[in-house]
Amino acid sequence: MSADTYDYVVVGAGSAGCVVANRLSANPSVRVCLIEGGGSDSSVRVKVPAGILSLYGNPNYDYRYVGVPQPHLNNRRIPVNRGKALGGSSSINSMVYIRGAASDYDEWARLGCAGWGYEDVLPVFKKLERNRLGQNQHYHGTDGELLVDNPRDPNILSKMFVKAGRNADLPSNDDFNAASQLGLGIYNVTQDRGQRFSSYSAFIRPVLDRKNLTVLSECEVLDLVISEGRVTGLRTLRNGERKTINVNREIVLSAGAINSPKILMESGIGEAEALRQQGIEPIIDLPGVGKNLQDHVDGMITVRSSSAKTLGLSVANLPRMLAAPYQYFVNRKGMLTTNYVEAGGFARTKYAGELPDVQFHFVPGYRSHRGKLVEYGHGYAIHTCVLRPKSVGEIKLTTDGSRRDVLIDHRFFSDERDAAVLVEGIRIARSIFASPEFDGVRGEEMLPGKNVRSDDEILAYLRAEALTVYHPVGTCKMGTDAMSVVDPQTLKVNGVEGLRVADASVMPTLIGGNTNAPSMMIGERAARMILNTPH
């Protein structure tokens, strides 16, 4: 058998792909290749939680996508950070372990994805999880590969934030993955003794000695080889060399909500007329590819404070900064343990039904009002996002004449209901900050600013400043309607054999929370489907 031929090829060593490759390669009689476009995750800036500030926008770890101008956000182009390293986005994210609400998955089942209801997926989440917190075992697992823990050394302001929730009638919540998401709390994180624990750390690094598993990093997938309705391989570019990798059984696309539809469209799978306009001969007319893009649109409140209790770059904080490396590498304590969004939670606006419709990510340090990654001084901030947006966008191909790229169009606020929810979310966030808990560290609200008070003024601020919390999903959705891309029972791409998609792109709707853990669950489900397929 050729060294460039495998039984299974998994594209994308991210949250889902690492799970798929682990499970498939557990059978020593099959050869598995895991392909990642990025490089090593061994840098200290990846391992140390506080290093996240050096990852966003860094071309060594981030694809650095930028969306198209958004008409409802003052024609601004929104950054779309996606992980480009072993571990994918789980190597650059904030490590928050959230699954979403039970009803999110029941909604998937209602939309035609039988077998994806909450009672179906909960055992999968539990199998993957190694919970170190002693949380309710009805909801949590203790024997899985994925470590789930509390932050090692939360900042005092993170704890103040949780107590301040009482000012907005928000209870303390120590487990957002149990019966209810409502309330504020310290987030559970995917860390191992204060060190980032990515999907690669959990599922691939421990099995690298498997002789039947090959990991190819810094390897770009150009397109798929399709013959007589079946995928037989893929074309790659690595170290300047183009090579075809053949597959005997199946290819699994786990390249994420941006790159999985891109690879499909590059391969002639997508809306036929749009492909022809890009000079691509359609092989399978599948109009849903790239459609149904959903993401969490986010607004921020940032406050300047003179208190050195907060994280910050200052002369007053110099002793703590100088001590931080020693504290971290000896005791796994101190400033370097922070993931910057140590606390957060969920609330209901006046537009919500039973479920929370906004999520908070609290930062116990100053978020620059000028958009800088790091700014001198102290403060604190809160991000508020719309949990279940109604605005739906799409991803399309474009070309500069030499090679193709993607156009990412979120269409944020194209549905006015999202704007209304986020305005109310900002009001709730302000009521948390108004709590007496913050009196000792209170400072000037820099954004939106104390004079921004009415709904129209807050909305104008959001149009000028809102971004995303980087949870794109839905662009290869599973379902049974005409716009579905994959079959819910198999995750096979409709109309072609030997090809599945297993990542956040298959979500029919965006779950209410962070998407790292749900993507791993999808990877586990996909692997079970493959292993149950006769070959």
Side-chain angles (χ1 to χ4, degrees):
M1 185 184 292
S2 166
D4 291 326
T5 299
Y6 300 90
D7 295 300
Y8 298 102
V9 176
V10 181
V11 180
S15 300
C18 288
V19 180
V20 176
N22 173 295
R23 302 307 191 227
L24 297 182
S25 63
N27 179 355
S29 69
V30 299
R31 301 186 70 220
V32 178
C33 180
L34 175 62
I35 296 177
E36 168 57 38
S40 172
D41 69 336
S42 62
S43 170
V44 68
R45 64 181 65 191
V46 175
K47 302 299 184 186
V48 175
I52 189 174
L53 288 184
S54 67
L55 301 177
Y56 287 151
N58 185 324
N60 294 321
Y61 304 100
D62 183 357
Y63 278 102
R64 300 190 301 168
Y65 293 117
V66 179
V68 303
Q70 295 295 286
H72 302 283
L73 298 183
N74 295 355
N75 284 318
R76 289 183 297 118
R77 302 183 69 198
I78 307 300
V80 184
N81 302 118
R82 306 311 299 151
K84 184 184 179 185
L86 294 170
S89 292
S90 74
S91 285
I92 73 167
N93 69 355
S94 296
M95 297 157 275
V96 176
Y97 183 77
I98 294 285
R99 301 172 181 167
S103 59
D104 291 327
Y105 301 99
D106 292 338
E107 173 72 359
W108 291 4
R110 192 188 67 78
L111 291 171
C113 301
W116 288 89
Y118 182 66
E119 293 302 319
D120 302 302
V121 302
L122 177 59
V124 183
F125 279 116
K126 291 170 65 176
K127 174 181 172 54
L128 294 171
E129 182 186 11
R130 195 186 322 166
N131 187 287
R132 287 180 162 172
L133 300 169
Q135 292 174 316
N136 188 334
Q137 291 193 19
H138 176 75
Y139 300 101
H140 295 280
T142 57
D143 299 322
E145 294 95 335
L146 183 68
L147 291 169
V148 175
D149 207 344
N150 274 332
R152 293 279 289 192
D153 196 8
N155 184 276
I156 189 172
L157 263 78
S158 296
K159 300 171 184 177
M160 288 167 50
F161 171 79
V162 177
K163 293 179 181 178
R166 290 175 294 200
N167 205 59
D169 295 322
L170 291 171
S172 174
N173 189 336
D174 60 5
D175 189 355
F176 296 114
N177 298 303
S180 173
Q181 289 184 312
L182 186 68
L184 306 182
I186 302 295
Y187 279 136
N188 295 167
V189 290
T190 51
Q191 293 182 5
D192 180 13
R193 294 162 300 183
Q195 181 172 286
R196 177 186 294 277
F197 202 70
S198 69
S199 187
Y200 187 80
S201 303
F203 300 100
I204 297 300
R205 185 170 286 113
V207 300
L208 284 173
D209 60 347
R210 289 178 179 170
K211 292 181 171 54
N212 63 327
L213 174 63
T214 298
V215 179
L216 297 178
S217 58
E218 297 182 321
C219 182
E220 180 184 359
V221 173
L222 302 175
D223 59 8
L224 306 172
V225 180
I226 303 174
S227 177
E228 298 180 349
R230 182 174 188 86
V231 172
T232 61
L234 45 77
R235 283 176 277 263
T236 66
L237 178 64
R238 190 180 192 221
N239 298 325
E241 179 184 1
R242 291 176 180 258
K243 180 177 287 189
T244 297
I245 295 176
N246 301 310
V247 63
N248 291 325
R249 294 186 180 181
E250 296 189 32
I251 289 175
V252 183
L253 292 183
S254 296
I258 309 299
N259 278 330
S260 283
K262 177 179 185 287
I263 292 169
L264 289 177
M265 290 186 285
E266 293 273 24
S267 308
I269 302 173
E271 185 179 10
E273 183 54 36
L275 294 176
R276 291 191 185 96
Q277 291 175 6
Q278 290 297 319
I280 299 172
E281 182 60 33
I283 295 176
I284 299 166
D285 184 9
L286 205 55
V289 175
K291 305 296 195 298
N292 193 47
L293 172 64
Q294 298 161 58
D295 202 345
H296 289 135
V297 63
D298 176 88
M300 178 180 72
I301 299 173
T302 187
V303 176
R304 274 247 193 233
S305 170
S306 60
S307 174
K309 291 180 179 179
T310 70
L311 300 173
L313 182 65
S314 71
V315 172
N317 204 28
L318 189 59
R320 203 157 46 132
M321 294 167 60
L322 293 174
Y326 176 85
Q327 288 181 310
Y328 181 79
F329 291 106
V330 174
N331 299 314
R332 296 289 172 91
K333 295 285 186 178
M335 293 174 59
L336 294 182
T337 66
T338 187
N339 64 337
Y340 297 102
V341 288
E342 299 167 346
F346 300 82
R348 289 190 289 253
T349 73
K350 65 183 182 182
Y351 301 107
E354 293 184 5
L355 289 178
D357 55 352
V358 292
Q359 182 180 2
F360 304 117
H361 293 87
F362 174 72
V363 182
Y366 186 62
R367 288 303 310 273
S368 172
H369 62 288
R370 289 183 274 256
K372 296 179 180 179
L373 205 56
V374 178
E375 179 148 340
Y376 186 85
H378 290 270
Y380 47 91
I382 184 170
H383 290 268
T384 305
C385 72
V386 178
L387 276 181
R388 296 173 184 83
K390 307 300 182 186
S391 302
V392 177
E394 68 174 316
I395 291 172
K396 295 190 284 190
L397 287 182
T398 185
T399 182
D400 62 4
S402 60
R403 61 173 293 157
R404 294 188 184 90
D405 202 349
V406 285
L407 295 175
I408 304 170
D409 186 1
H410 287 97
R411 296 178 189 152
F412 284 136
F413 286 0
S414 57
D415 191 306
E416 294 179 354
R417 287 175 290 181
D418 296 341
V421 168
L422 193 49
V423 167
E424 284 300 306
I426 294 293
R427 291 194 180 281
I428 296 173
R430 272 180 164 166
S431 71
I432 298 170
F433 278 179
S435 167
E437 291 288 338
F438 282 96
D439 285 350
V441 296
R442 198 166 300 286
E444 180 183 358
E445 182 184 291
M446 305 299 291
L447 290 176
K450 63 181 181 180
N451 295 323
V452 176
R453 308 307 303 178
S454 70
D455 286 359
D456 287 344
E457 288 168 341
I458 296 173
L459 179 56
Y461 161 71
L462 293 171
R463 293 194 193 281
E465 299 289 344
L467 295 169
T468 160
V469 285
Y470 315 120
H471 298 151
V473 308
T475 50
C476 301
K477 79 166 187 174
M478 58 180 171
T480 55
D481 64 6
M483 297 302 288
S484 298
V485 176
V486 299
D487 181 280
Q489 306 309 312
T490 62
L491 295 183
K492 289 183 177 180
V493 176
N494 294 327
V496 60
E497 290 297 315
L499 180 62
R500 305 190 202 224
V501 180
D503 56 32
S505 70
V506 307
M507 295 184 186
T509 56
L510 180 54
I511 58 100
N514 308 67
T515 51
N516 183 35
S519 296
M520 294 181 193
M521 179 274 293
I522 290 169
E524 175 73 20
R525 292 291 306 272
R528 294 181 186 184
M529 293 170 182
I530 296 167
L531 293 171
N532 288 330
T533 300
H535 288 285

